[in-house]
Amino acid sequence: MQKGFTIVEIMVMLGIITAISAMVLVSFTGLHEGAAVNRAARELALAIRRAQNMSFAVTRVDTAAGPKIPPAVGVRVDAGSPIYFIFADIAQDNRYSAGVQNGAVDAKVVNGETTMDRGITVSSLTAFDSLMQPRGVPAAHIVFLAPEAAAVLSDAGGVLQGDVLEIELASASGAARKKVVVRTSGQISIK
């Protein structure tokens, strides 16, 4: 009697290995997507903290328009966009304004613009007032006035939006989500 495996047994074993491999790859893709969103949330939180630290320093900031000593430094995020950036609020209007405002021109900080990887975008921006009533906004500015740690939260028009801003990031499929929460006290956290 010869010992060994028949072709049928080998084919069944290969089928089982293929099915297990397919399940692992599907799980790995979801895990990979979650890790990418988590990384993007951490990078956004670090960019906000970087703007806060720049306002503490009250020193010259390298901008696209040359070195400036800004009275405030902020971060602009837009709902539906994968891009956010740090800016010098030269016009002192609590927002990024590309044109002349109050006789001054705001400027993006050199190396301050970030595009999130792998199709991750800001899926929503929600401002909460002191009573924790939510309100969606299409764009938001998180501005730190020198030399304070406190943040001013405003929309595209520079209007004060409340005490808390929740920035939700989502993967391209929408399966993985993470929130960056900024408070006017200067606290930045990730949920």
Side-chain angles (χ1 to χ4, degrees), residues 101-147:
Q101 297 291 327
N102 302 332
V105 178
D106 293 339
K108 292 181 182 180
V109 171
V110 174
N111 298 325
E113 184 170 295
T114 302
T115 302
M116 293 180 270
D117 294 334
R118 297 188 169 99
I120 297 166
T121 59
V122 175
S123 64
S124 68
L125 296 167
T126 308
F128 294 90
D129 62 17
S130 57
L131 301 174
M132 293 308 289
Q133 297 298 315
R135 188 173 67 119
V137 292
H141 301 94
I142 304 152
V143 180
F144 299 97
L145 307 171

Side-chain angles (χ1 to χ4, degrees), residues 5-186:
F5 297 104
T6 66
I7 194 84
V8 172
E9 290 171 328
I10 292 173
M11 294 303 287
V12 168
M13 186 173 55
L14 285 173
I16 291 170
I17 290 172
T18 302
I20 290 171
S21 297
M23 287 189 296
V24 167
L25 284 175
V26 167
S27 297
F28 182 71
T29 302
L31 180 65
H32 185 63
E33 208 172 68
V37 171
N38 190 32
R39 180 175 165 213
R42 290 181 188 278
E43 288 176 356
L44 175 58
L46 285 172
I48 295 167
R49 182 69 70 202
R50 181 176 171 213
Q52 188 179 39
N53 288 338
M54 286 178 172
S55 75
F56 284 154
V58 193
T59 60
R60 188 178 68 184
V61 174
D62 291 327
T63 69
K68 304 273 184 194
I69 299 176
V73 179
V75 176
R76 175 173 172 127
V77 291
D78 292 288
S81 175
I83 299 170
Y84 58 88
F85 58 87
I86 300 173
F87 65 94
D89 186 16
I90 307 298
Q92 299 182 37
D93 56 358
N94 298 327
R95 66 186 176 113
Y96 175 76
S97 35
V100 177
Q101 297 291 327
N102 302 332
V105 178
D106 293 339
K108 292 181 182 180
V109 171
V110 174
N111 298 325
E113 184 170 295
T114 302
T115 302
M116 293 180 270
D117 294 334
R118 297 188 169 99
I120 297 166
T121 59
V122 175
S123 64
S124 68
L125 296 167
T126 308
F128 294 90
D129 62 17
S130 57
L131 301 174
M132 293 308 289
Q133 297 298 315
R135 188 173 67 119
V137 292
H141 301 94
I142 304 152
V143 180
F144 299 97
L145 307 171
E148 300 293 324
V152 175
L153 307 174
S154 64
D155 63 8
V159 178
L160 186 63
Q161 289 303 312
D163 297 332
V164 178
L165 177 67
E166 199 172 77
I167 306 164
E168 184 177 56
L169 305 180
S171 62
S173 71
R177 295 180 179 275
K178 209 65 155 162
K179 293 179 181 177
V180 177
V181 180
V182 182
R183 300 181 186 286
T184 53
S185 65

